[in-house]
């Protein structure tokens, strides 16, 4: 039975587009006040306006999460202005796929910097606040949800760097899950297949590479992933949804 998130505060990264944007909107509709984070401030302002127009509450925070100080600043500002932190959803990420001989070290660095380092940089300062929420909030539970990927479960040709970062996210999640289970900080991973977002625009040829592998199929929508995140965080305290793999039904 889904619980209401009224009175809780969530941070959603990658909120300027795609999965993060949709997740922020969905959590706000469920009652959470959402701190929305990405680099593109104009997109965040638009999203905040849309959330407010729907009766929700949002705090846009423009930050580049590949800088540890900016990531820590997001957590500090959220707690200073909104008073607490119950939920962190890590959705910020980039995907630069293609034949390894065509990719540069810089392409791999960019994925490591945001998909892994950025996620670690914001998670570390968030943990004490999430543990405090799990101990003292009315629901007595807090949530950390990491958006990994099917590519964090199964490796494939021409996606080595992305696989490395997303396997890292999946492993990081499982380790934290075990460490904080008794404290009622639920740590979950969502592993989507192909979702219709800007992710496949990050490098020319990514979309074509996917179609070559799986054919022309109907993609998931960002709201499908937002619904999965909402399912995780609105479950009552005694239920932990550890991992959700979610693919388009035609993705083999
Ligand atoms: N779409 C898919 O098929 C799919 C499948 C599996 C997993 N995923 C994962 O889902 C997550 C969301 O991706 P998406 O599909 O929604 O793609 P997207 O529409 O391109 O969104 C990526 C988000 O990450 C943010 N971001 C990138 N670099 C950042 C940085 N340095 N600092 C702060 N924010 C940064 C972007 O905002 P700014 O550019 O404004 O900073 C944007 O909001 C990613 O982790 C991706 O790997 C996606």
């Amino acid at each position: 039975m889904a619980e209401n998130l009224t009175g809780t505060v969530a941070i959603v990264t990658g909120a300027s587009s795609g999965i993060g944007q949709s997740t922020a909107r969905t959590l706000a509709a469920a009652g959470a006040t959402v701190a929305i984070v990405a680099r593109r401030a104009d997109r965040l302002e638009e999203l905040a306006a849309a959330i407010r127009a729907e009766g929700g509450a949002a705090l846009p925070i423009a930050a580049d999460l590949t800088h540890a100080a900016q990531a820590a600043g997001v957590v500090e500002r959220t707690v200073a202005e909104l008073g607490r932190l119950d939920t962190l959803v890590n959705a910020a990420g980039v995907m630069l796929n293609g034949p390894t001989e065509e990719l540069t070290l810089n392409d791999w660095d960019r994925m490591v910097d945001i998909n892994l380092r950025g996620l670690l940089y914001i998670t570390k300062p968030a943990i004490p606040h999430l543990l405090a929420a799990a101990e003292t909030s009315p629901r007595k539970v807090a949530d950390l949800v990491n958006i990994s990927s099917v590519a964090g479960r199964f490796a494939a040709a021409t996606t080595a760097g992305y696989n490395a970062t997303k396997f890292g996210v999946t492993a990081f999640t499982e380790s934290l899950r075990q460490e904080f289970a008794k404290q009622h900080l639920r740590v979950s991973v969502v592993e989507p297949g192909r979702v219709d977002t800007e992710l496949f625009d990050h490098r020319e040829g990514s979309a074509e590479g996917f179609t070559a592998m799986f054919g022309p199929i109907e993609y998931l929508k960002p709201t499908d992933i937002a619904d999965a995140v909402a399912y995780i965080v609105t479950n009552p305290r005694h239920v932990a949804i550890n991992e959700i793999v979610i693919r388009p039904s035609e993705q083999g």
Side-chain angles (χ1 to χ4, degrees), residues 94-237:
V94 297
M95 187 181 78
L96 306 160
N97 286 339
T100 297
E101 285 176 296
E102 284 176 20
L103 293 176
T104 63
L105 266 186
N106 184 51
D107 293 326
W108 282 353
D109 275 342
R110 282 179 57 201
M111 291 192 282
V112 170
D113 282 349
I114 183 61
N115 299 3
L116 261 184
R117 282 204 180 90
L119 187 142
L120 268 54
Y121 289 163
I122 192 159
T123 298
K124 182 78 167 67
I127 283 172
H129 300 288
L130 293 168
L131 290 172
E135 200 178 333
T136 63
S137 68
R139 290 178 72 220
K140 288 271 192 325
V141 68
D143 284 285
L144 165 58
V145 183
N146 293 325
I147 309 298
S148 177
S149 171
V150 163
R153 266 273 163 249
F154 309 99
T158 73
T159 60
Y162 188 66
N163 285 139
T165 64
K166 292 301 186 178
F167 268 67
V169 172
T170 300
F172 180 69
T173 306
E174 173 58 16
S175 174
L176 293 187
R177 185 193 71 73
Q178 294 177 27
E179 185 173 350
F180 295 117
K182 290 274 190 296
Q183 287 154 286
H184 294 277
L185 168 53
R186 298 182 294 203
V187 188
S188 313
V189 66
V190 178
E191 295 157 325
R194 174 67 147 109
V195 189
D196 193 10
T197 71
E198 296 171 18
L199 194 81
F200 284 77
D201 304 338
H202 298 176
R203 183 173 187 274
E204 212 177 314
S206 291
E208 291 74 8
F210 181 88
T211 306
M213 236 185 284
F214 296 106
I217 62 168
E218 183 181 350
Y219 304 142
L220 295 169
K221 298 175 186 62
T223 48
D224 297 321
I225 309 306
D227 288 347
V229 175
Y231 174 63
I232 289 170
V233 305
T234 59
N235 253 292
R237 182 182 195 244

Side-chain angles (χ1 to χ4, degrees), residues 32-57:
T33 297
V34 283
I36 47 179
V37 184
R39 291 166 300 181
R40 286 171 291 179
D42 53 337
R43 295 268 196 112
L44 297 179
E45 292 297 340
E46 278 169 34
L47 175 62
I51 288 173
R52 288 172 196 139
E54 289 163 4

